[in-house]
């Protein structure tokens, strides 16, 4: 009976010791993998008119997809059309003057060759022709400029994009270069993350990565996962941004990296929090 009690006491002590050892032992870290936390970044850009004017049409709303070459907005071109018509009139006037001067020059050339007029008269006709030609060329240049300004009253998209901000409305008077839309490019999409100095020597450009979002795919019941690779490693260290959650202290020096998604889709959106997994045992491709 005594031996049984002793056995129970010893077993209880061993259980307590085992439990304490399990909870108090240092955390085992997986040194073969690096876990980083970051946010989705998408390249954004503003578009606007190259001439000033009053907005008359805005064809897209936030969230709309714009294709390259699409007409996205217009400004009132009435003044530019009037100036263009005036410029065409000036071109016609200058052309008529040049033709008349050429006619006189051709006539004086014949007369000068026969000695019927003086050299001074001939040179005067020649200089007049050159002046009228210069006026005509200047009128053509002015007309071309006004035609371009008239064309600039219609704003076209130079590349594909998604409208993230519609910055003005019809009736707004804008200056040259004023942004009217902010667009985001569908590609490339990358994750902005930060790596500590300790792990800096274990990563490299082109290193494969796994990108995991917090969103659950309803078809699979698991978090959405994307394949990617490291496309940029900052050469300059910085203090960890306060908005970034890491396993290290926020005051540690870190290096910003970009992890590009190889198979992005419409579910990766600007600012979305993500987890990036780096396998240090992956083939370095060297």
């Amino acid at each position: 009976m005594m031996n049984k009690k002793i056995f129970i006491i010893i077993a209880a002590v061993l259980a307590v010791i085992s439990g304490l050892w399990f909870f108090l032992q240092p955390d085992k870290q997986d040194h073969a993998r690096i876990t980083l936390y970051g946010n989705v970044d998408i390249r954004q850009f503003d578009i606007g008119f190259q001439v000033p004017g009053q907005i008359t049409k805005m064809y897209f709303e936030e969230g709309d997809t714009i294709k390259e070459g699409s007409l996205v907005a217009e400004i009132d071109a009435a003044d530019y059309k009037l100036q263009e018509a005036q410029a065409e009139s000036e071109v016609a006037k200058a052309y008529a003057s040049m033709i008349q001067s050429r006619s006189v020059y051709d006539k004086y050339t014949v007369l000068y060759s026969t000695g019927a007029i003086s050299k001074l008269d001939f040179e005067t006709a020649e200089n007049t022709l050159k002046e009228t030609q210069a006026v005509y060329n200047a009128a053509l240049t002015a007309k071309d400029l006004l035609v371009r300004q008239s064309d600039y009253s219609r704003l076209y998209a130079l590349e594909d994009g998604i409208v993230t901000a519609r910055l003005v409305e019809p009736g707004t008077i804008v200056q040259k270069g004023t942004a009217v839309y902010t667009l985001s490019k569908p590609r490339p999409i990358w994750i902005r993350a930060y790596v500590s100095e300790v792990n800096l020597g274990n990563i490299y450009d082109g290193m494969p990565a796994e990108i995991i979002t917090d969103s659950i795919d309803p078809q699979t019941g698991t978090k959405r996962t994307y394949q990617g690779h490291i496309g940029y490693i900052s050469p300059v260290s910085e203090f960890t941004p306060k908005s970034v959650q890491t396993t290290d202290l926020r005051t540690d020096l870190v290096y910003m990296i970009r992890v590009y998604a190889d198979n992005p889709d419409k579910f990766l959106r600007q600012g979305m929090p993500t987890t990036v997994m780096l396998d240090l045992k992956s083939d370095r491709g060297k």
Side-chain angles (χ1 to χ4, degrees):
M1 189 69 175
M2 182 64 68
N3 290 337
K4 186 177 181 180
K5 290 182 177 180
I6 294 174
F7 176 78
I8 294 174
I9 293 173
I10 292 174
V13 171
L14 290 176
V16 172
I17 293 175
S18 297
L20 290 174
W21 177 83
F22 178 80
F23 287 106
L24 297 179
Q25 67 171 329
D27 293 337
K28 292 182 179 180
Q29 297 182 355
D30 185 359
H31 296 288
R33 294 174 68 86
I34 299 176
T35 302
L36 304 176
Y37 304 97
N39 299 86
V40 175
D41 257 358
I42 298 174
R43 186 166 291 142
Q44 294 183 313
F45 58 98
D46 295 331
I47 60 174
F49 291 95
Q50 297 188 52
V51 292
Q54 185 176 43
I55 301 288
T56 57
K57 298 286 182 61
M58 294 286 289
Y59 292 104
F60 292 91
E61 301 286 347
E62 283 88 351
D64 289 345
T65 298
I66 295 178
K67 296 297 183 181
E68 179 181 351
S70 299
L71 176 63
V72 298
E74 293 186 58
I75 61 175
D76 186 357
D79 289 346
Y80 295 115
K81 292 295 184 182
L82 289 174
Q83 292 174 0
E84 184 180 338
Q86 183 179 3
E88 289 179 354
S89 176
E90 292 297 328
V91 168
K93 180 179 177 181
Y95 180 76
S97 180
M98 182 184 67
I99 293 300
Q100 182 179 6
S101 298
R102 180 175 293 280
S103 177
V104 173
Y105 172 76
D106 290 342
K107 178 180 178 181
Y108 274 37
T109 299
V110 175
L111 293 175
Y112 180 63
S113 65
T114 62
I117 61 172
S118 66
K119 182 178 181 181
L120 178 61
D121 291 337
F122 171 75
E123 290 179 343
T124 300
E126 184 179 38
N127 291 334
T128 300
L129 175 60
K130 291 179 179 180
E131 290 175 0
T132 55
Q133 286 176 332
V135 171
Y136 174 69
N137 290 333
L140 282 177
T141 301
K143 176 193 170 185
D144 290 342
L145 177 60
L146 289 170
V147 169
R148 288 172 64 88
Q149 288 183 328
S150 181
D151 291 340
Y152 288 154
S153 66
R154 295 180 295 274
L155 179 61
Y156 294 90
L158 298 181
E159 55 184 305
D160 295 348
I162 300 172
V163 179
T164 58
R166 173 169 158 154
L167 304 174
V168 299
E169 294 298 326
T172 304
I173 297 177
V174 296
Q175 299 300 316
K176 175 181 178 180
T178 300
V180 297
Y181 287 109
T182 297
L183 305 181
S184 63
K185 298 184 65 172
R187 289 173 181 266
I189 295 178
W190 66 84
I191 309 303
R192 183 184 68 256
Y194 297 85
V195 63
S196 66
E197 292 180 297
V198 175
N199 290 317
L200 183 63
N202 292 324
I203 65 174
Y204 56 93
D205 287 335
M207 183 177 187
E210 186 179 37
I211 302 168
I212 305 170
T213 70
D214 294 336
S215 301
I216 303 298
D217 186 340
Q219 295 183 354
T220 63
T222 60
K223 292 184 177 180
R224 296 187 184 275
T225 302
Y226 304 84
Q227 299 305 311
H229 66 277
I230 296 179
Y232 172 76
I233 302 174
S234 174
V236 180
S237 63
E238 57 184 287
F239 288 109
T240 308
K242 292 182 179 180
S243 60
V244 176
Q245 299 296 326
T246 69
T247 55
D248 300 322
L249 295 177
R250 294 173 187 261
T251 56
D252 284 352
L253 288 176
V254 293
Y255 292 79
M256 192 272 285
I257 66 172
R258 287 181 178 177
V259 180
Y260 287 85
D262 296 332
N263 57 334
D265 57 24
K266 62 182 180 181
F267 299 110
L268 284 176
R269 295 185 173 91
Q270 175 72 28
M272 178 182 289
T274 60
T275 301
V276 176
M277 305 295 295
L278 301 175
D279 185 359
L280 301 184
K281 293 182 179 180
S282 61
D283 183 11
R284 288 177 177 262
K286 296 182 179 179

